[in-house]
Amino acid sequence: QVQLVESGGGLVQPGGSLRLSCEASGFNLADRAIGWFRQAPGKEREGVLCISDDDDTTFYADSVKGRFTASRDNAKNIVFLQMNKLTPEDTAIYYCAAEQDFFCYSDPVADLHDFWGQGSQVTVSS
């Protein structure tokens, strides 16, 4: 069965950090670019960033530059999203998604992603 399973969300104080994991089964993550998206309450889903098969990162949200980084462990078929210096504006449900290609698109086109994680709630609040 092909699926992406996310973990690592939770409640964190402003300025804190969280790391999300996205584990694949049924296909090889190493062959795909992986996008991270988020949807805040009352807002549309937005692209956060993408990590290509060779670990290049494309940022879609300027607000996360310098704070969020993506990495992958191909041996374990897992991609990570490290989020530092979190602010209340980062509160959202975060989704990982496997692109149809190995490279990151210049724009976060949701329809070009085959498989999606179930979503992880990230809440930043004091």
Side-chain angles (χ1 to χ4, degrees):
Q1 181 180 2
V2 175
Q3 61 178 354
L4 291 171
V5 177
E6 299 180 41
S7 60
L11 172 65
V12 64
Q13 292 187 342
S17 298
L18 280 176
R19 188 177 77 161
L20 302 181
S21 299
C22 174
E23 183 173 5
S25 59
F27 72 101
N28 191 358
L29 268 182
D31 298 332
R32 304 286 198 107
I34 303 298
W36 286 93
F37 294 76
R38 66 185 179 184
Q39 186 163 19
K43 295 186 177 181
E44 293 186 355
R45 181 175 55 192
E46 67 168 345
V48 177
L49 55 76
C50 167
I51 180 169
S52 69
D53 69 323
D54 59 356
D55 293 342
D56 284 337
T57 299
T58 298
F59 288 95
Y60 299 131
D62 288 340
S63 65
V64 308
K65 289 181 180 179
R67 300 188 299 121
F68 289 15
T69 56
S71 61
R72 57 170 76 225
D73 185 337
N74 289 334
K76 296 181 178 179
N77 224 21
I78 298 177
V79 172
F80 302 101
L81 179 65
Q82 177 67 42
M83 303 181 292
N84 299 327
K85 300 179 182 179
L86 286 161
T87 73
E89 289 69 36
D90 295 316
T91 295
I93 300 174
Y94 284 72
Y95 300 90
C96 63
E99 288 195 4
Q100 296 173 359
D101 291 294
F102 57 87
F103 58 90
C104 294
Y105 302 108
S106 57
D107 296 305
V109 180
D111 288 347
L112 295 177
H113 294 73
D114 285 341
F115 313 118
W116 290 77
Q118 81 280 15
S120 292
Q121 177 68 52
V122 172
T123 303
V124 185
S125 175
S126 56

